[in-house]
Amino acid sequence: MEKEKHLGLRIDAETHKKLKSLAEFEGRSINGEVLYLIRQAKVCYYGTDAAGAESYFANKHRDFSSGKRFILVHMAAAYAYGSSDAFYGTNATGQELAMDIYNYCVKKPEIPDVSMSFSDANVKAYVEGNTQRTKEITFHAAGQQSVTISLPSGVRFHNVSTGSTSAPGAKVTIQGGTKFYLSAPLTQASDSIISVVKKIS
């Protein structure tokens, strides 16, 4: 027989009071209410553009209009929360699509933490051979998170994680977990390199 699973959450008194009230209104335990809310949150995240390349519509039914997507995600989210009339007024095709969204979303990983930081936001440039560069920096963020920056003229982005190097002054996207460094010609002011990290810190 499978053992029961329990959630252990540390929350403030006001949040606990609201959660308890909501759970009592819905006729659920507090743990049960949290599980429903987590499922609903995953549908709202992975069912929309917030999840980027991991979102449902980035992988399926890309041709659906924004209105159609909204209605289907709304039904899937209502189902995730346990609504008895989640599919009211829709046909079998609509219900099947909404359930496909629900199943896709709840099987995805937990919603990533949106916090982002660099291992060192106060880098300095130093001379190496005929160029100046920063030390290696790690972009601390969930793998699904990313930032896109336009490099100053002359500055290159070196992705240590992949081994690739950008063109000088290119627009680059940095994924969470990426290790990188920046370089520029010796004739360029070092502030132009340092400003890249400061700008997105």
Side-chain angles (χ1 to χ4, degrees), residues 16-199:
H16 181 270
K17 183 179 177 182
K18 290 177 179 177
L19 194 55
K20 183 180 179 185
S21 176
L22 188 60
E24 287 174 352
F25 179 79
E26 297 289 350
R28 301 173 182 145
S29 66
I30 292 179
N31 277 4
E33 185 65 26
V34 170
L35 288 172
Y36 273 102
L37 290 171
I38 289 171
R39 288 188 199 117
Q40 188 177 45
K42 288 177 82 170
V43 169
C44 292
Y45 179 76
Y46 287 107
T48 66
D49 291 340
E54 293 295 315
S55 71
Y56 178 84
F57 291 108
N59 295 280
K60 298 183 178 186
H61 305 296
R62 295 185 182 190
D63 59 323
F64 281 11
S65 67
S66 57
K68 192 171 187 177
R69 294 180 184 196
F70 175 83
I71 293 169
L72 289 168
V73 171
H74 183 82
M75 288 191 294
Y79 177 81
Y81 191 64
S83 174
S84 59
D85 59 354
F87 305 119
Y88 179 78
T90 192
N91 57 22
T93 302
Q95 182 170 339
E96 184 179 330
L97 285 166
M99 284 302 300
D100 192 45
I101 294 170
Y102 170 81
N103 289 322
Y104 175 90
C105 295
V106 296
K107 289 175 183 174
K108 298 298 282 181
E110 295 306 317
I111 297 171
D113 187 347
V114 295
S115 63
M116 302 178 185
S117 66
F118 290 102
S119 55
D120 188 347
N122 298 302
V123 295
K124 295 185 189 309
Y126 63 89
V127 176
E128 184 176 77
N130 297 321
T131 62
Q132 57 178 318
R133 57 160 290 180
T134 65
K135 67 179 183 180
E136 291 184 2
I137 306 160
T138 301
F139 180 41
H140 294 303
Q144 293 166 270
Q145 303 296 104
S146 67
V147 291
T148 300
I149 54 172
S150 295
L151 299 171
S153 177
V155 175
R156 292 178 185 267
F157 176 86
H158 301 264
N159 190 324
V160 177
S161 300
T162 64
S164 62
T165 301
S166 76
K171 181 180 280 190
V172 296
T173 298
I174 311 173
Q175 296 292 139
T178 299
K179 186 179 286 189
F180 68 96
Y181 67 91
L182 304 165
S183 72
L186 288 174
T187 53
Q188 191 156 338
S190 62
D191 286 351
S192 64
I193 300 178
I194 298 167
S195 67
V196 174
V197 178
K198 288 188 180 301
K199 183 165 59 176

